[in-house]
Amino acid sequence: MFYSRTLTLFMLILAGSAIQAEAKSLPFGVNAGAVIIDQAGRRIDAHQPYQRIISLYGAHTENLFSLGLDAEIIGVSPNEAYPPKARSKPVFSYHDDPEKFMAARPDLVLIRPMIDRGYPQLVQRFEKSAITVVSLQPGTIDAMYVYWEILGILTGKQDRARQMIAQFKHKVSEIELLTAPILTKKKVYFEAIHKHMKTFAPDAMAMFALKTAGGVNIAQDAQQVRSTNIAFYGKERILSHADEIDVFMAQQGAMNRPTVSLIKEESGFSAIKAIKNNQILIIDEMIVSRPTLRLIDGILEIGRYLYPELGFKGGDD
């Protein structure tokens, strides 16, 4: 896990000023006076840090721990495993009876837009009970920085949030310096969902990870699915690049469970250069698609696979 210990005041100031500029073009952000606007348009005046927080999204939980919280986190969503402390927290689900939440007396419930859309009655019950609800799920790197700042404001950890942003940017700069001299960068098809032959939207965090690691996205013309980080591509278009694809990558997680054998045995895929050369990387979605500090781990893992000779340092090393 990457955690830089050498931060400068200059970097912190840059991070803070950049947040304000980035927030203007996002569907959520922070207005003057630390008034937060979430992805559902709610306005939250976080004049005091929240002390009893239930997180219904694994990335929220991970970031809360990264901000230095523990006792304040009184509930997490099912199947959370990182950090290990999350396993010791009471488990809550949007499928649960609202009374279970009421009994825990949270003052803040962190959700994501999917819960807002799919379970409006539960969300309304929270709000009628004077429980603050904040819905966030950033899809791009710029949005991730604003998201971290918002979590910092909600929890009274603004300084730590700025440190997280500065740490992340500093490490990204180090990696970019390492890959900059590469004259011929490897071309990659990055699979998001194998069953439907979908990749990632060009500005998705997974593609940022690939680019930072020195890879070239072969599917730059992919069409984004609504406002998600997923994009349509299809087998025909993948195979049209068969001779160009140096590495075939696939994320593995709840919505995609590929194996090397599955990819190799897919009809037509034997024509792909990467498949012929056994250049297949399956990578945990937790470190390429979630807006947490562990995205650095994902960048480093991709970099080590693409260019082992560069000696990438950090992450789980």
Side-chain angles (χ1 to χ4, degrees):
M1 169 71 60
F2 161 72
Y3 286 103
S4 171
R5 297 183 182 276
T6 57
L7 300 173
T8 66
L9 179 60
F10 177 68
M11 289 174 66
L12 291 175
I13 292 171
L14 279 181
S17 61
I19 286 295
Q20 298 303 322
E22 290 157 356
K24 295 177 182 177
S25 61
L26 296 172
F28 59 88
V30 183
N31 285 347
V35 175
I36 293 162
I37 302 173
D38 77 355
Q39 276 173 264
R42 299 182 184 87
R43 298 174 63 87
I44 301 99
D45 187 355
H47 54 280
Q48 290 184 340
Y50 290 92
Q51 300 292 325
R52 297 183 61 80
I53 305 169
I54 293 177
S55 164
L56 293 182
Y57 175 39
H60 295 332
T61 302
E62 188 171 332
N63 285 315
L64 292 176
F65 277 107
S66 291
L67 286 168
L69 277 68
D70 188 346
E72 298 90 342
I73 306 168
I74 64 166
V76 300
S77 58
N79 304 316
E80 292 195 28
Y82 195 89
K85 280 186 177 181
R87 298 181 186 137
S88 67
K89 298 293 181 179
V91 174
F92 291 81
S93 167
Y94 43 80
H95 296 296
D96 290 338
D97 189 296
E99 295 307 320
K100 179 178 178 179
F101 289 88
M102 301 303 119
R105 297 180 294 106
D107 55 7
L108 172 65
V109 177
L110 291 171
I111 64 173
R112 51 179 170 161
M114 178 274 290
I115 299 174
D116 245 336
R117 294 189 299 268
Y119 301 87
Q121 292 180 333
L122 177 65
V123 174
Q124 290 167 11
R125 177 65 188 277
F126 293 155
E127 294 175 329
K128 286 180 181 179
S129 300
I131 297 169
T132 299
V133 176
V134 176
S135 178
L136 297 166
Q137 187 176 12
T140 67
I141 293 300
D142 286 348
M144 182 180 77
Y145 297 146
V146 179
Y147 161 65
W148 286 352
E149 189 202 17
I150 288 173
L151 291 182
I153 292 170
L154 290 170
T155 60
K157 299 288 186 178
Q158 294 97 319
D159 287 346
R160 174 57 188 152
R162 294 188 189 103
Q163 288 176 1
M164 287 169 61
I165 295 164
Q167 288 175 214
F168 187 89
K169 289 183 175 182
H170 179 64
K171 187 60 180 179
V172 164
S173 295
E174 287 184 343
I175 296 170
E176 289 175 337
L177 285 174
L178 193 62
T179 61
I182 301 170
L183 297 179
T184 304
K185 294 187 175 181
K186 293 185 178 178
K187 295 179 180 179
V188 180
Y189 177 75
F190 200 160
E191 174 184 277
I193 305 176
H194 184 83
K195 183 178 179 181
H196 302 291
M197 297 291 155
K198 290 179 180 176
T199 183
F200 293 95
D203 63 349
M205 280 179 285
M207 290 310 191
F208 174 87
L210 174 62
K211 181 181 178 181
T212 303
V216 176
N217 173 21
I218 203 76
Q220 303 250 7
D221 56 340
Q223 298 173 324
Q224 185 175 6
V225 180
R226 296 184 295 278
S227 59
T228 70
N229 67 345
I230 303 300
F232 290 113
Y233 213 60
K235 184 181 291 188
E236 184 177 342
R237 293 169 79 186
I238 295 171
L239 294 179
S240 73
H241 297 290
D243 294 336
E244 304 171 70
I245 300 172
D246 297 305
V247 176
F248 191 105
M249 286 176 48
Q251 74 164 357
Q252 185 175 59
M255 65 180 181
N256 196 47
R257 300 188 181 279
T259 63
V260 171
S261 295
L262 177 69
I263 292 169
K264 284 185 172 182
E265 293 166 9
E266 180 66 40
S267 174
F269 274 23
S270 60
I272 298 172
K273 181 169 69 170
I275 307 300
K276 292 178 183 178
N277 296 332
N278 201 33
Q279 293 296 296
I280 302 169
L281 173 63
I282 295 177
I283 190 166
D284 186 351
E285 71 172 11
M286 301 287 187
I287 59 173
V288 292
S289 293
R290 280 194 171 184
T292 72
L293 281 170
R294 282 198 295 163
L295 188 57
I296 288 295
D297 293 349
I299 295 170
L300 291 170
E301 185 170 330
I302 295 170
R304 291 188 196 104
Y305 191 88
L306 297 181
Y307 310 107
E309 70 279 6
L310 291 183
F312 287 88
K313 302 294 183 182
D316 294 329
D317 285 355

